[in-house]
Amino acid sequence: MPLWQPGTGRARMRRVGREDVIAMSEKRLRKLVDRYRVTSGKGFRLKDHDPADTGGPLVNHAESEAMLADGVRRLADLQELLYPQDQWALLCVFQAMDAAGKDGTIKHVMSGVNPQGVFVASFKQPGPEDLSHDFLWRVSRELPQRGQIGVFNRSHYEEVLVVRVHPELLTRQHLPPALTGKKVWKQRLEDIASYEQYLSRQGFVILKFFLHLSREEQKRRFLERLETPDKNWKFSAADLAERDHWDEYMTAYEEAIAGTAAPYAPWFVVPADHKWFTRVVVVEAMIAALEDLNLHVPDVTAEQREKLAAAKRALEAEKG
Ligand code: ATP
Ligand code: MG
């Protein structure tokens, strides 16, 4: 049960009662998640989404820390139900430009869950073995098992993002030239959409997060990395080079989201200029998806109950 109470004030809380406050909170959090969910590519434009958005009246900065802490707890509780049920797997894909906060978001949001039920995969540049296979090969190897939460830090989407912005990467993929014509990006998006549909039919709940950072905020964060000794290690000259391709990346993201947004594999275009806000939206989106599964502790059959009773009798009969 959420412990977080919206900023309704103590007096009002007494009047409406704790259960009502919880219901109001849940409604508000659902609205927040709905606001950033994209389930169809029809008319999708990135410019309609503001990276500096902080949810209007739905959240305020002062309460965000308590909301996140509460979200982390509720996510942990839901994971405890996902695991024994052993049917569904939750797959969370994180994509973003450098310094958008992928790592920090994953770290904070997943901080409460049982590590045994989580599987995190970071997709870097593919190696020779990866390149001698189809591009989804390495993705399939990193999928979570049923009952687990899988986190993809970058993903198969790099194949229609960085590879599209740097077509020389495509030439390293050993593809027959006849298959790398102009249509290749559209075809890859179709293939990704079909793959995700297949996974959804196998019991994967897929959530895709695009942490939407503005170019100005990225500059500010890069400068902070350069100016703060403790953050120097985070800076990479390669990230600066990618920044020069900003517009090409935005076009590639827009087409990727438009081409693969579906009810069974929604995108969340999460404003990323304010880290506190990004984290709240991500944790609540994960909670909403798990709540929709109506998870419960597995039922005990009559036969199992009989075995449990026998085990209890055996233990009680032990001497000493
Ligand atoms: P951080 O910088 O916070 O450690 P990161 O995800 O940026 O996280 P890096 O090791 O800096 O990690 O970068 C990984 C690189 O691998 C990115 O530049 C990404 O574009 C690249 N990459 C990932 N998948 C592919 C792919 N399929 N083809 C080519 N490059 C890829
Ligand atoms: Mg990097």
Side-chain angles (χ1 to χ4, degrees):
M1 281 304 238
L3 298 174
W4 168 75
Q5 297 150 0
T8 43
R10 284 198 168 277
R12 183 162 159 71
M13 248 189 76
R14 267 200 300 276
R15 265 205 314 279
V16 297
R18 186 173 156 71
E19 288 306 310
D20 297 325
V21 171
I22 288 167
M24 277 157 48
S25 309
E26 281 178 353
K27 233 169 132 188
R28 195 141 76 114
L29 294 172
R30 282 286 171 144
K31 263 196 192 160
L32 184 74
V33 173
D34 292 348
R35 190 172 164 133
Y36 304 108
R37 188 190 286 108
V38 181
T39 55
S40 155
K42 213 162 160 244
F44 178 77
R45 288 282 173 277
L46 213 43
K47 68 173 169 46
D48 297 335
H49 298 255
D50 177 8
D53 180 12
T54 53
L58 296 170
V59 191
N60 68 57
H61 191 178
E63 67 188 352
S64 66
E65 208 175 309
M67 282 175 78
L68 179 62
D70 186 50
V72 166
R73 266 195 302 273
R74 280 182 294 141
L75 182 64
D77 289 348
L78 285 161
Q79 185 210 18
E80 297 291 341
L81 296 176
L82 186 70
Y83 186 75
Q85 214 194 30
D86 197 22
Q87 291 176 350
W88 299 98
L90 180 65
L91 176 62
C92 301
V93 170
F94 287 86
Q95 284 290 158
M97 295 298 282
D98 289 300
K102 273 185 294 115
D103 292 12
T105 301
I106 294 168
K107 180 172 119 183
H108 281 88
V109 167
M110 304 308 291
S111 61
V113 297
N114 180 346
Q116 296 200 79
V118 185
F119 195 74
V120 184
S122 294
F123 290 92
K124 311 278 182 190
Q125 290 208 13
E129 199 185 7
D130 299 322
L131 290 172
S132 59
H133 290 85
D134 61 285
F135 76 80
L136 290 172
W137 178 77
R138 67 171 181 161
V139 175
S140 297
R141 289 158 54 103
E142 304 286 358
L143 289 172
Q145 295 175 17
R146 296 184 196 284
Q148 281 188 331
I149 299 179
V151 174
F152 279 5
N153 186 347
R154 299 189 187 269
S155 67
H156 44 301
Y157 281 96
E158 292 291 326
E159 294 289 338
V160 288
L161 297 166
V162 69
V163 182
R164 186 171 186 176
V165 172
H166 298 283
E168 65 275 15
L169 294 173
L170 189 65
T171 60
R172 293 197 206 143
Q173 297 191 352
H174 306 283
L175 287 161
L179 302 181
T180 55
K182 266 194 353 221
K183 284 191 198 145
V184 69
W185 310 116
K186 189 170 169 289
Q187 288 172 342
R188 282 191 170 198
L189 290 175
E190 286 168 4
D191 293 339
I192 290 173
S194 306
Y195 180 64
E196 290 177 352
Q197 184 166 42
Y198 157 76
L199 292 179
S200 76
R201 288 170 174 163
Q202 281 293 309
F204 286 82
V205 176
I206 305 172
L207 306 177
K208 301 173 293 192
F209 297 99
F210 170 48
L211 307 192
H212 187 207
L213 182 74
S214 69
R215 195 160 190 263
E216 299 70 50
E217 180 60 17
Q218 189 195 52
K219 178 177 172 180
R220 206 192 60 71
R221 291 185 190 176
F222 279 175
L223 282 172
E224 195 182 335
R225 289 177 179 187
L226 290 167
E227 289 161 3
T228 317
D230 281 359
K231 291 191 176 177
N232 281 172
W233 66 273
K234 284 191 183 181
F235 184 80
S236 130
D239 294 354
L240 201 57
E242 289 317 286
R243 185 176 158 79
D244 286 341
H245 296 283
W246 188 274
D247 292 344
E248 292 153 77
Y249 270 109
M250 289 307 115
T251 304
Y253 266 110
E254 187 170 85
E255 288 184 23
I257 294 168
T260 62
Y264 54 79
W267 273 100
F268 291 84
V269 179
V270 187
D273 278 6
H274 299 280
K275 289 181 180 173
W276 60 268
F277 185 67
T278 310
R279 293 166 188 173
V280 168
V281 174
V282 169
V283 77
E284 291 303 333
M286 290 169 72
I287 290 169
L290 289 175
E291 279 179 350
D292 286 348
L293 298 177
N294 286 318
L295 299 167
H296 51 81
V297 180
D299 294 332
V300 180
T301 62
E303 192 186 337
Q304 284 166 330
R305 203 170 301 126
E306 187 47 50
K307 282 189 179 150
L308 292 173
K312 186 165 179 262
R313 281 194 300 275
L315 273 174
E316 284 169 350
E318 269 183 16
K319 290 195 183 79

